[in-house]
Amino acid sequence: AVIGIVTTASFAVGVALMSRVHRFTQDFEAVLFGNVLGVSEHDLLLIAVVTGLTGLVVTALYKQLLFSTFDEAVAQVAGVPTRLVYLLFACILALAILASMQVLGVTLIAATIVIPAATARLFTHSFSTMLVLSTALGGVTALGDLIATILRRKKPSVSPRGTATARATATAGRAKAAE
């Protein structure tokens, strides 16, 4: 998780610096960073369908996912079809990435997947609480960053990674201090 956070933070700094030089081409930026302000109704519908499907799969396979995640060998012995669980999880992850590509771009997807989960992990040891908390953290960060992007008229790609990275770093610092 730390590697994902550091990579994301480095990318945010690089984008902020490079945007001052104005050497990016628009198409290159759209692929890497998405276009959150140019979301179509079709994009929203696709994201809603994938979100619903993901929620259904995670809810239906929660115990199997939990068991397979923490001890795959014991899960297999207990009769959990770990290969099928892994395949379904990989498929919903791929669908989520593909549905988000137009909106978030390649780099922000990595931040969206890693940082909320890593931050939530610092607050709890409960898997179910971590799922809910990481989802909430991701949603609140996305909404806050969208509002900040509109108000500051900055590139939508820089703000979310910077804010999420700062939040994760501050949380990690508080967690270390509490130990």
Side-chain angles (χ1 to χ4, degrees):
V2 172
I3 291 171
I5 292 171
V6 170
T7 302
T8 298
S10 300
F11 226 91
V13 170
V15 168
L17 293 173
M18 292 294 286
S19 64
R20 293 199 177 269
V21 178
H22 302 291
R23 292 192 184 180
F24 278 119
T25 62
Q26 192 65 27
D27 291 336
F28 184 66
E29 279 189 27
V31 170
L32 283 179
F33 311 116
N35 185 4
V36 73
L37 300 177
V39 179
S40 69
E41 288 180 19
H42 179 265
D43 294 330
L44 289 175
L45 180 61
L46 179 62
I47 290 169
V49 168
V50 170
T51 300
L53 181 63
T54 301
L56 287 173
V57 170
V58 169
T59 301
L61 298 176
Y62 178 77
K63 289 181 182 178
Q64 293 86 348
L65 278 168
L66 182 63
F67 204 6
S68 296
T69 300
F70 288 105
D71 200 339
E72 185 177 358
V74 175
Q76 284 177 338
V77 171
V80 175
T82 55
R83 289 180 59 91
L84 179 61
V85 170
Y86 174 78
L87 179 64
L88 286 172
F89 183 75
C91 286
I92 61 171
L93 182 60
L95 285 173
I97 290 170
L98 290 173
S100 304
M101 190 73 71
Q102 174 70 26
V103 178
L104 297 175
V106 174
T107 58
L108 194 53
I109 287 174
T112 305
I113 291 170
V114 173
I115 293 175
T119 305
R121 179 68 177 97
L122 295 172
F123 285 106
T124 185
H125 295 292
S126 166
F127 190 70
S128 59
T129 304
M130 190 174 87
L131 282 175
V132 171
L133 186 57
S134 65
T135 302
L137 286 170
V140 167
T141 300
L143 181 61
D145 287 330
L146 180 60
I147 292 168
T149 297
I150 292 168
L151 293 177
R152 292 184 302 163
R153 294 189 175 111
K154 296 284 184 190
K155 288 181 181 287
S157 58
V158 176
S159 179
R161 278 193 297 278
T163 303
T165 302
R167 183 189 65 236
T169 304
T171 302
R174 281 194 302 261
K176 274 292 191 197
E179 289 178 357

